[in-house]
Amino acid sequence: MITLYDLVFQDDRRPSPFCWRTKYALAHKGLKWTEVPVGFTEKDKIAFASSQTVPVIKDGEIPVRDSWAIANHLDKAYPDKPLFKSEMARSYALFINGWVDTQVHAALAPLIIGDLYDRVRPVDQAYIRESRGKRFGSSDFTAVQSAAREKGLPAFRLVLEPARRTLKEQKFLAGDAPAYPDYALMGAFLWARIVSPFELLAGDDPVHAWRERMLDLYGGMGRKVKAA
């Protein structure tokens, strides 16, 4: 049995974009897993994996940390239904992974930081004020979010242009069927969906239609979670 250590907010919300990558990877491969909730200040729960962040999985007695490393481990340990069907597919997924980490998340975070802070467990709020306050240059997250929404939404949508152009031509970033590139990007949208009611996409955006398809995957796994 695989155990996933998953970031938890108030009301048992599980918004981590990186953990969602792992959940989609597990579902893609048809694997069963159990989850252990981990708060921002509960790093002792994942110390066995020498990790400070989630996701972490324990596959039998094998600990694996980091969503990208977990994806690669799953393909090696469970070769059926590969996440990466070729070395070229793996390289493409690695590129999308990095693009989401450095561009999509950076553009998205200011748009939802106030809502995110409101959803964090009270015991973890001091940690968020300190860590995210340094990142944004202010711990007034409501003000940061308000300013970002006035100016930053068009910038966020522009960051998505590579995905938009791809999705005008095909159903998923990976082609006719979803694979890890799609899971990497979808993690960002589930992060937002779970913590904030703010609408990020226009209804006629090809990325919007793709997001709807992704929400329906694997028995509606993404759609069933409690949205903000």
Side-chain angles (χ1 to χ4, degrees):
M1 175 62 72
I2 295 172
T3 303
L4 168 63
Y5 293 77
D6 186 16
L7 185 64
V8 65
F9 278 34
Q10 291 184 50
D11 304 321
D12 201 34
R13 292 174 185 268
R14 309 291 181 90
S16 166
F18 303 103
C19 292
W20 274 104
R21 295 178 192 184
T22 295
K23 292 176 189 180
Y24 272 106
L26 289 163
H28 176 105
K29 299 185 78 65
L31 298 170
K32 303 290 186 181
W33 73 93
T34 59
E35 297 180 7
V36 175
V38 180
F40 283 103
T41 53
E42 295 181 312
K43 299 183 187 300
D44 57 301
K45 288 186 176 181
I46 51 176
F48 72 91
S50 301
S51 184
Q52 293 289 303
T53 58
V54 291
V56 167
I57 67 167
K58 191 172 184 181
D59 185 3
E61 296 302 315
I62 302 172
V64 188
R65 61 183 183 180
D66 179 76
S67 54
W68 179 252
I70 291 169
N72 282 275
H73 165 79
L74 293 176
D75 258 10
K76 291 178 181 177
Y78 306 95
D80 288 347
K81 302 178 183 178
L83 293 161
F84 316 118
K85 291 185 177 180
S86 67
E87 186 59 31
M88 183 180 294
R90 183 183 177 280
S91 296
Y92 171 53
L94 180 60
F95 174 81
I96 297 297
N97 204 66
W99 169 67
V100 173
D101 287 352
T102 61
Q103 303 299 311
V104 178
H105 285 181
L108 175 56
L111 299 173
I112 63 171
I113 183 59
D115 293 336
L116 182 149
Y117 179 74
D118 290 341
R119 304 284 186 189
V120 171
R121 300 184 312 166
V123 70
D124 294 328
Q125 286 182 336
Y127 172 86
I128 293 295
R129 282 197 302 272
E130 180 180 358
S131 61
R132 288 359 180 227
K134 290 178 181 178
R135 186 176 304 175
F136 291 107
S138 171
S139 58
D140 186 349
F141 299 129
T142 300
V144 171
Q145 177 176 278
S146 179
R149 290 182 182 182
E150 286 181 12
K151 301 178 181 179
L153 183 57
F156 170 73
R157 291 177 175 178
L158 184 60
V159 164
L160 296 172
E161 186 61 21
R164 186 173 295 112
R165 293 189 182 194
T166 301
L167 294 167
K168 285 180 180 178
E169 303 293 330
Q170 57 195 48
K171 290 179 64 176
F172 297 99
L173 294 179
D176 291 335
Y180 201 78
D182 298 278
Y183 309 147
L185 182 56
M186 189 59 190
F189 282 105
L190 280 165
W191 177 33
R193 179 183 177 86
I194 293 167
V195 302
S196 176
F198 186 61
E199 182 51 66
L200 297 167
L201 300 171
D204 61 352
D205 191 332
V207 181
H208 184 284
W210 165 86
R211 185 182 64 181
E212 293 301 301
R213 290 192 290 273
M214 293 296 297
L215 287 171
D216 289 334
L217 287 179
Y218 309 124
M221 182 174 72
R223 196 177 294 283
K224 289 176 181 177
V225 300
K226 187 175 182 179

